[in-house]
Amino acid sequence: MKHFWVQQRITFLVFTVISLLILAGCYLFSITLSKTSFASGTILLLCIFFLASYQLRKKISFLPLGSSAAWLRFHIFIGFLSFVVFALHSRLQIPNGLLEVILFLTYYIVFLSGIFGWFLSRTIPYRLLSRGEEVLFERIPMHRNKIHDRVKTLIFDDAQPEQGAALPDFYHKHLQEFFEGPRHQISHILHSERHLHQLKQKISALQPFLDEQEQVRLQQIAEQIQLKDDLDYQYIFQAIIKLWLFVHVPLTYSLIIFSLYHALAACAFASTSG
Amino acid sequence: MSEPSISRPRRWDKPFSLEPGSEDEMTDTAVEILLGKPPFSEIDPAGFKRSLPLHDIIKNDARIIGFDDGDIVVRRGDWGNSAFFILSGNVRVGLERGKPTLPDEILGRHDNKVKTLWESFAQLWRNHSVPEVRKLDSVFSKSELKTRHAHNSTRIYLQEVSAVLDKYHTARLDAGHWFGELAALGRTSRVATVFSEGVSQLLEIRWQGIRDILRHDQNGKLKQYIEDAFRERALAAFLRTTPLFHDCQPELMQRIVDQVEFHTFGNYDSPKPFKDLIENQDHTTEGGEPVIIREGDYPSGIVMIRSGLARISQRHYNGRRTVGYLSPGQIFGLDEIRAEVQSLTPVGCSTQLSAIGHLNAVLVPTALVEELLKQNGSVGAADLHEVKTHVSDSGSNSVKINDDTLLSQLVDQNFVQGTSLMVIDLERCTRCDDCVRACSTAHDNNPRFIRHGPILNQYMVPNSCLHCVDPICMIECPTGAIFRDFAQGDIIINEQTCIGCAQCASNCPFDAIRMVDIRDSKGNIIVDSKTRSPLTQATKCDLCIDQKGGPACERACPHDALFRVDMQDAAQVGEAFSR
């Protein structure tokens, strides 16, 4: 852990020094009345290319190109550095052309989604470990169906003809929707168990009206409710960590296309832009 | 879908004498001649099963091979899969005593064949889209070593034997001697290089054959021979691997060698103890494991682990808590004997030692250890501390980690067997599956592990081959298709000789070996011509042995969550689990 903090401090120091060097370089360049946009734009384009290359690195992980973890650290470093260069390049102003506005927004979305992803990758593993069984994302629907089948068996298959309809009624009223698919995503994200608490209260309220055998079954159903809720918890967080990449990666490619177009246009009109 | 037919391979479809390197096919006459001479004439054939007679074992699992002057028979460091019996001529065994050993260059040691940069890159589009495609007609790659062709095989040889004999210390073994049996049966690497001096003729027996002979030989002569051979040839070197014995005087060492006791716990041949251990989690040290030294007892000597693993535990309330474990080469009981030498009052062990599964240990009697400590002048507190530090630095102390619960789980589930245990830190893992994808790309689109397995605290141990220190998956393999890679010692499955019997998969207590239906390059499932059932083969993690950068899974993890750890390496284990 001590090593980790030392590494973080060194990284921060290097980042600060490089950022200051870039800012100083641009300032010195500008006082010669030269245009700094080309220099900052070129650095920014290189940064974007490097950032995008991490996706390629992931595809060719069998080549000895260094560990993915080292690449990710560098990816984050360059990502933050690109923000400094972008701020310099755009002068922290919203541009006025349509393409530039799109480019501006795309960069910000990619940058912010990157920070969001970084935050998710550091928080979600802890949350996934805090509740429920570790289940592969692709297998969650299968497990959910199994739980649902078990509950239906408990309520319907073993029901004796002389027994009342308390459990089936309860199922149709309160459980059917809950077991049919992933539920209470927002509550899970907010780390709230209010829905579970409410369901348990309903179970407690029903209990005095059941005979001994039905009470045993209700208890077993309550266990399945807990399992299903834990599965939903796993599902939503695994889904979030997979889904954010569907924003970050496609928009990165869009950003590259817009940036190249922007660079070509800037070069083409360089002589007339003053 | 067309179904190419092929006969399912069976044990002894390919006798050892038909494998590359053999001179002639083993004939019935040759077998009869061998069975008429010692030591085979001393084996009682009546004890063997009808389906597995001694005659057939010799015929199919043995071969006679000839060697010319300087031909290397086995090399130090290679993994032993067979034993040798000298029929005629003599061989030289390289020794280490005070002189340098034969260097790697003259032994022709080389690195594994790994994919070129282009071949690695081409995996992106050359990998098959259908699973488990096999090249059935593929042959082993040719060696690029400096070799010569003799006796129908290609051999590495020493160019000037006389110069080698002058420069390096060797011992001569004549006709009638065995060698290589310790490595073959112990599933360990060869401890010495053996080369032919002049022309010699040897009988080489696959370890599966030796194992069957040992099982059914009621006279037990071969077993006794192997034990005697260990005492005579390897015991001193084995003891010297521990710093305590480094400076031992020759006279005392000889007495130690003579008086050391061998102890075995569990069954050598059977994987059952491991299976029991995994399946029955209630087996604590009190319950299922044989106790070697009890807590509170004064040790009758120091216990040095030869093979297998031992648990160190301590009484905790009304149960026992695991506080460490020992792997081969590590010792137990030294602290107590040292304390006794210092205070002249016997001190009972503060911990208990018990065997996990099968264990081979040597016990050096207390009196000799005391004499050794006095001889080394290590009786003073400062000196004793030095010896202790010396032992710790060399990794010969027990393996410990800060988290007792985690340690206990690792031992209980037998993950301490792993020399390359895959561990995923779930506090870092984002479940992105990059590790599985990287594994898949490196193995023709067939991942060799599943990111699913037992969770110990925050660590998951996925269903991936551990590359066990004592790979019980190899025990029952009838053809030797699952073997240790000669260079690295990693456990590999040879697709050419795997008959799909699933013995390895059923023996593996970690579910790390899967049986898969194999296909031809067109994607058709290959079926057995007789049974019409699909041909299956075993697959498992091979540590990306043919890939340029080593295990792809480890390098593919963006969050450093996946790591591999050699559970025999005390320092590495401590570091890995305290990141």
Side-chain angles (χ1 to χ4, degrees):
Chain A
M1 194 50 88
K2 195 178 170 187
H3 175 72
F4 173 77
W5 286 113
V6 170
Q7 199 181 27
Q8 292 295 308
R9 282 177 192 176
I10 293 171
T11 308
F12 183 73
L13 193 70
V14 172
F15 177 80
T16 311
V17 169
I18 293 176
S19 300
L20 288 173
L21 283 175
I22 290 172
L23 290 171
C26 276
Y27 173 72
L28 291 173
F29 203 38
S30 67
I31 58 174
T32 63
L33 299 181
S34 304
K35 286 189 71 175
T36 57
S37 313
F38 275 106
S40 59
T42 308
I43 296 172
L44 190 57
L45 198 60
L46 288 174
C47 285
I48 290 170
F49 276 126
F50 176 79
L51 291 167
S53 69
Y54 179 47
Q55 191 64 18
L56 285 177
R57 157 69 186 81
K58 281 189 167 192
K59 294 238 180 296
I60 49 173
S61 54
F62 44 82
L63 289 183
L65 297 172
S67 72
S68 181
W71 272 75
L72 180 63
R73 280 195 291 271
F74 208 47
H75 179 84
I76 294 167
F77 183 90
I78 298 292
F80 278 109
L81 198 67
S82 78
F83 182 75
V84 174
V85 181
F86 184 79
L88 198 71
H89 188 67
S90 64
R91 295 187 178 85
L92 289 172
Q93 290 169 350
I94 299 171
N96 45 19
L98 178 66
L99 175 72
E100 279 71 25
V101 170
I102 293 171
L103 192 57
F104 181 85
L105 289 175
T106 312
Y107 176 83
Y108 267 100
I109 296 171
V110 171
F111 177 71
L112 292 174
S113 66
I115 291 178
F116 181 62
W118 177 73
F119 170 76
L120 291 179
S121 70
R122 268 149 186 78
T123 52
I124 285 185
Y126 286 95
R127 302 192 73 172
L128 286 173
L129 205 52
S130 68
R131 261 186 75 182
E133 196 187 336
E134 183 74 24
V135 185
L136 293 177
F137 184 71
E138 293 75 15
R139 292 187 183 179
I140 288 179
M142 191 186 78
H143 282 267
R144 192 193 298 131
N145 290 339
K146 270 188 185 170
I147 292 172
H148 194 185
D149 289 346
R150 223 173 291 148
V151 169
K152 281 195 281 191
T153 308
L154 280 170
I155 293 171
F156 300 108
D157 288 9
D158 298 338
Q160 301 297 317
E162 66 272 15
Q163 282 182 343
L167 286 180
D169 283 351
F170 186 75
Y171 170 78
H172 290 304
K173 208 170 172 183
H174 301 295
L175 300 181
Q176 190 170 13
E177 197 194 341
F178 173 75
F179 280 110
E180 271 175 352
R183 297 286 179 266
H184 307 293
Q185 284 100 328
I186 302 294
S187 299
H188 288 311
I189 291 168
L190 297 174
H191 219 67
S192 160
E193 291 190 19
R194 186 166 162 262
H195 60 281
L196 201 61
H197 181 64
Q198 285 175 338
L199 209 48
K200 280 177 184 171
Q201 278 186 327
K202 282 173 189 157
I203 288 172
S204 302
L206 179 68
Q207 216 146 14
F209 306 103
L210 303 177
D211 63 26
E212 206 174 312
Q213 207 181 358
E214 283 175 321
Q215 283 190 12
V216 172
R217 279 196 199 150
L218 191 64
Q219 191 52 45
Q220 290 171 328
I221 292 166
E223 286 166 14
Q224 299 302 315
I225 289 171
Q226 182 66 54
L227 280 178
K228 158 68 171 50
D229 197 59
D230 289 346
L231 209 56
D232 284 351
Y233 184 87
Q234 291 283 325
Y235 181 80
I236 186 63
F237 283 107
Q238 291 200 41
I240 288 173
I241 212 155
K242 283 182 196 300
L243 283 173
W244 81 271
L245 274 172
F246 283 94
V247 175
H248 190 67
V249 175
L251 280 180
T252 302
Y253 292 120
S254 309
L255 183 65
I256 289 174
I257 293 165
F258 291 139
S259 305
L260 283 173
Y261 185 74
H262 171 74
L264 282 172
C267 290
F269 295 101
S271 56
T272 56
S273 65
Chain B
M1 185 173 68
S2 68
E3 293 177 337
S5 292
I6 195 161
S7 293
R8 184 184 292 277
R10 306 199 182 276
R11 183 174 183 186
W12 292 343
D13 269 0
K14 197 172 182 184
F16 197 28
S17 58
L18 292 185
E19 287 200 359
S22 308
E23 269 192 330
D24 296 308
E25 191 177 346
M26 198 78 164
T27 60
D28 286 330
T29 319
V31 174
E32 288 307 326
I33 292 169
L34 279 170
L35 290 177
K37 290 179 185 174
F40 301 103
S41 58
E42 292 166 1
I43 300 171
D44 179 11
F48 287 77
K49 287 194 287 186
R50 244 188 225 176
S51 59
L52 201 71
L54 177 62
H55 179 279
D56 284 9
I57 293 172
I58 300 291
K59 188 178 176 188
N60 292 290
D61 280 331
R63 62 180 183 182
I64 297 169
I65 41 176
F67 288 89
D68 288 334
D69 192 29
D71 281 354
I72 292 174
V73 185
V74 294
R75 289 182 301 181
R76 185 175 186 274
D78 284 353
W79 291 89
N81 290 323
S82 59
F84 295 85
F85 180 74
I86 306 169
L87 295 171
S88 65
N90 60 275
V91 297
R92 285 271 171 183
V93 185
L95 302 172
E96 294 183 59
R97 287 170 200 157
K99 287 194 175 184
T101 51
L102 295 161
D104 282 351
E105 304 83 66
I106 71 166
L107 297 178
R109 201 177 293 284
H110 67 296
D111 294 328
N112 272 317
K113 164 90 176 75
V114 291
K115 287 192 164 84
T116 62
L117 201 63
W118 172 248
E119 283 170 335
S120 295
F121 197 67
Q123 289 176 131
L124 282 175
W125 60 88
R126 280 190 188 163
N127 279 351
H128 293 94
S129 55
V130 288
E132 307 300 348
V133 172
R134 298 286 187 277
K135 291 176 189 167
L136 293 170
D137 56 345
S138 65
V139 288
F140 292 109
S141 58
K142 293 260 189 288
S143 169
E144 293 172 4
L145 302 173
K146 281 180 72 180
T147 55
R148 69 180 170 205
H149 194 79
H151 295 274
N152 203 22
S153 67
T154 307
R155 300 260 170 77
I156 306 163
Y157 67 100
L158 304 176
Q159 282 184 325
E160 289 184 37
V161 176
S162 55
V164 169
L165 292 176
D166 286 345
K167 193 171 178 185
Y168 304 104
H169 193 55
T170 59
R172 183 177 148 147
L173 281 182
D174 295 316
H177 278 90
W178 287 89
F179 66 89
E181 72 287 346
L182 297 173
L185 288 169
R187 300 187 279 272
T188 58
S189 59
R190 307 280 190 197
V191 293
T193 297
V194 180
F195 59 92
S196 179
E197 187 183 21
V199 176
S200 61
Q201 199 176 43
L202 311 180
L203 181 78
E204 183 181 8
I205 309 183
R206 285 197 278 224
W207 76 268
Q208 287 90 349
I210 293 263
R211 172 200 62 192
D212 289 339
I213 295 173
L214 286 177
R215 260 184 195 163
H216 303 293
D217 176 20
Q218 289 171 340
N219 294 338
K221 288 252 171 109
L222 191 57
K223 200 169 190 174
Q224 186 59 47
Y225 174 87
I226 289 168
E227 201 161 273
D228 290 346
F230 179 70
R231 190 184 289 276
E232 187 189 335
R233 298 183 205 159
L235 184 55
F238 171 72
L239 291 171
R240 281 203 175 87
T241 57
T242 300
L244 178 69
F245 297 96
H246 276 180
D247 303 322
C248 182
Q249 298 293 322
E251 181 271 329
L252 179 58
M253 179 55 93
Q254 190 53 53
R255 278 196 289 131
I256 291 172
V257 166
D258 293 340
Q259 292 179 41
V260 150
E261 296 167 24
F262 298 115
H263 293 278
T264 303
F265 303 88
N267 183 357
Y268 172 84
D269 296 317
S270 169
K272 210 163 177 300
F274 296 95
K275 285 260 181 188
D276 285 349
L277 205 68
I278 297 290
E279 283 160 12
N280 188 355
Q281 290 302 309
D282 294 334
H283 273 183
T284 59
T285 47
E286 296 285 70
E289 294 174 1
V291 176
I292 303 168
I293 296 181
R294 269 187 202 288
E295 185 174 343
D297 286 357
Y298 181 67
S300 54
I302 57 166
V303 176
M304 195 168 170
I305 310 299
R306 207 178 126 198
S307 66
L309 295 160
R311 184 199 300 264
I312 302 171
S313 62
Q314 208 164 29
R315 179 154 290 284
H316 188 64
Y317 300 118
N318 289 322
R320 299 207 68 79
R321 181 174 60 182
T322 303
V323 293
Y325 64 92
L326 299 181
S327 56
Q330 297 182 327
I331 58 175
F332 184 87
L334 178 63
D335 286 347
E336 289 73 17
I337 297 174
R338 204 167 47 204
E340 196 264 350
V341 171
Q342 270 181 307
S343 64
L344 297 174
T345 314
V347 180
C349 291
S350 58
T351 51
Q352 177 169 292
L353 188 71
S354 55
I356 305 169
H358 172 262
L359 181 122
N360 258 324
V362 296
L363 185 118
V364 185
T366 304
L368 291 172
V369 180
E370 287 172 353
E371 197 178 332
L372 178 67
L373 287 171
K374 285 171 188 163
Q375 190 184 62
N376 287 353
S378 304
V379 192
D383 294 332
L384 285 170
H385 177 73
E386 197 178 321
V387 168
K388 194 176 179 182
T389 314
H390 195 31
V391 170
S392 301
D393 289 349
S394 68
S396 290
N397 58 332
S398 64
V399 184
K400 289 174 181 168
I401 52 178
N402 292 332
D403 188 340
D404 282 343
T405 315
L406 176 64
L407 177 69
S408 185
Q409 288 175 319
L410 286 166
V411 175
D412 286 343
Q413 305 212 23
N414 222 28
F415 290 129
V416 287
Q417 276 279 335
T419 61
S420 194
L421 181 75
M422 183 192 282
V423 184
I424 297 177
D425 183 348
L426 292 177
E427 285 187 353
R428 293 185 187 204
C429 173
T430 62
R431 283 70 166 172
C432 66
D433 271 333
D434 277 358
C435 49
V436 182
R437 269 191 290 276
C439 177
S440 171
T441 314
H443 293 96
D444 202 7
N445 283 338
N446 302 298
R448 295 298 184 219
F449 77 98
I450 304 169
R451 190 180 57 74
H452 191 266
I455 296 171
L456 323 174
N457 288 5
Q458 88 256 33
Y459 298 105
M460 175 195 276
V461 182
N463 293 138
S464 171
C465 178
L466 283 69
H467 296 267
C468 297
V469 63
D470 184 11
I472 52 168
C473 53
M474 284 165 55
I475 293 176
E476 298 292 329
C477 178
T479 61
I482 187 162
F483 69 106
R484 277 193 188 277
D485 162 59
F486 284 147
Q488 310 290 334
D490 303 331
I491 298 149
I492 314 291
I493 295 173
N494 182 357
E495 288 171 1
Q496 273 71 48
T497 49
C498 175
I499 60 171
C501 66
Q503 281 288 357
C504 54
S506 97
N507 277 356
C508 174
F510 307 106
D511 292 331
I513 304 179
R514 286 190 314 125
M515 300 306 297
V516 293
D517 293 344
I518 57 169
R519 297 166 188 263
D520 65 11
S521 55
K522 290 176 186 164
N524 301 316
I525 288 181
I526 300 167
V527 295
D528 187 288
S529 55
K530 285 180 188 162
T531 63
R532 308 303 297 166
S533 58
L535 276 188
T536 54
Q537 283 199 326
T539 69
K540 64 169 202 70
C541 160
D542 59 359
L543 289 175
C544 294
I545 195 163
D546 61 344
Q547 299 291 328
K548 268 202 165 304
C553 53
E554 211 174 344
R555 279 175 300 121
C557 180
H559 306 286
D560 259 343
L562 189 151
F563 59 92
R564 287 180 177 275
V565 55
D566 179 356
M567 297 301 289
Q568 318 304 305
D569 186 335
Q572 205 191 349
V573 172
E575 196 183 330
F577 288 104
S578 61
R579 301 191 305 165

